[in-house]
Amino acid sequence: MRSLVTLLLVLAAAGALVAKPLTVGFAQTGAESAWRTANTTSMKAEAERRGIVLKFADGQGRQENQIRAVHSFIAQGVDAIVIAPIVETGWEPVLRAAKQAGIPVIITDRTIKVSDDSLYACFVGSDFLQEGRMAAEWLVRRTGGKGRILELQGTPGSAPANDRRKAFAEVIAQHPGLTILDSQSGDFRRSGGKEVMEALLKKHGHNFDIVYAHNDDMALGALQAIEEAGLKPGKDVIVLSIDAIREAIQAVADGRISCTVECNPLFGPKVYDLVAKVVAGQKVARMQYNRDELFDSTNAAAVLPSRQY
Ligand code: GYE
């Protein structure tokens, strides 16, 4: 009898262990773009599919909100913390607090700069330097190395804005016929892209040939301003951007955007695979980059029907 009771107790304890769902805190940057919306959907849907309890915090575009959210995840004793960091710097204190509490942190989407590598387990996202390079190399092929460029930057201090700018400029610098006339931030937003483009049109008139936007939302906003100014994108102006959201690929198929470099936001499954490993104490590769493609007039129309975001 006693051994039966013991057996039942052991089974109940094992059952409780197996059944206990993982609790994950996710500090998202905000909701600035269609990319971001797709990323949030992927993270939420995949948590639900796996029975993970997701505590979701929208940082509304402010690092201090994200830091506050992470402190609250620590106080709640979550099993793991996922951060999509709005900017690259300023994360050390809150990451040290998570480490002290013994809660593993996974950085997603945007990279950060820290002096101590042990402050997070790994990074999952795209290689923004590679994206900037792909955009510039496509432009060199398309223009034969000639043209005047206006650049619409993403959020100042963010990894994608810093890296997409740097890698693009490095390639352009090798081609004396290509010049970057101006570079201003539209904060990765459609309204920002439109406003900045209007200001640049006032300043430069029609004396430019190319618009390089750090994301599709800004490119789509800029297109509006360009068309309102009486210019024809695809003919008078080459517009290139990054993300490859469905609406931008449609614009490529329509000839309004000339090229968009993919930055895939649908990495929820990959993040939770890593969460499970890290929580189980397994070692994982530190930098996990997604593989991204490029869409222009040669392949845009063909992918439209199956585009997920
Ligand atoms: O390109 C942009 C978004 O961090 C990769 O943020 C992400 C970028 C993306 O707002 O659309």
Side-chain angles (χ1 to χ4, degrees), residues 83-122:
I83 308 174
I86 182 148
V87 289
E88 288 193 277
T89 56
W91 295 100
E92 300 225 354
V94 74
L95 292 180
R96 266 199 298 275
K99 191 181 169 186
Q100 253 162 34
I103 302 174
V105 174
I106 291 177
I107 301 294
T108 65
D109 165 24
R110 300 181 176 178
T111 47
I112 56 171
K113 288 185 175 135
V114 286
S115 54
D116 176 0
D117 267 3
S118 76
L119 289 178
Y120 65 92
C122 59

Side-chain angles (χ1 to χ4, degrees), residues 15 17 24 34 37 39 45 67 74 79 119 121 138 154 191 194 221 239 247 255 264 291 309:
L17 272 182
V24 175
T37 305
N39 180 246
I67 289 174
I74 296 170
D79 296 305
L119 289 178
W138 179 92
S191 56
K194 183 163 189 278
V239 177
E247 200 181 340
N264 198 314
R291 203 173 313 123
Y309 68 98

Side-chain angles (χ1 to χ4, degrees), residues 29 31-37 39 84-86 108-111 125-126 128 131 154-155 158-161 164 187-189 214-218 242-243 245 261 263-265 267:
T29 64
E32 72 279 2
S33 64
W35 187 101
R36 187 66 52 197
T37 305
N39 180 246
I86 182 148
T108 65
D109 165 24
R110 300 181 176 178
T111 47
S126 285
F128 303 135
E131 291 169 350
T155 302
S158 71
R164 287 169 184 171
D187 202 25
F188 282 132
R189 292 169 195 277
H214 288 183
N215 82 341
D216 286 340
D217 281 76
M218 291 191 297
I242 297 176
D243 277 356
I245 60 172
V261 174
C263 178
N264 198 314
F267 46 75

Side-chain angles (χ1 to χ4, degrees), residues 48-67:
E48 191 162 338
R49 213 180 62 75
R50 295 186 186 207
I52 289 171
V53 177
L54 183 68
K55 297 185 181 293
F56 178 84
D58 178 341
Q60 301 188 320
R62 302 179 77 100
Q63 183 179 33
E64 68 237 49
N65 292 344
Q66 288 196 288
I67 289 174

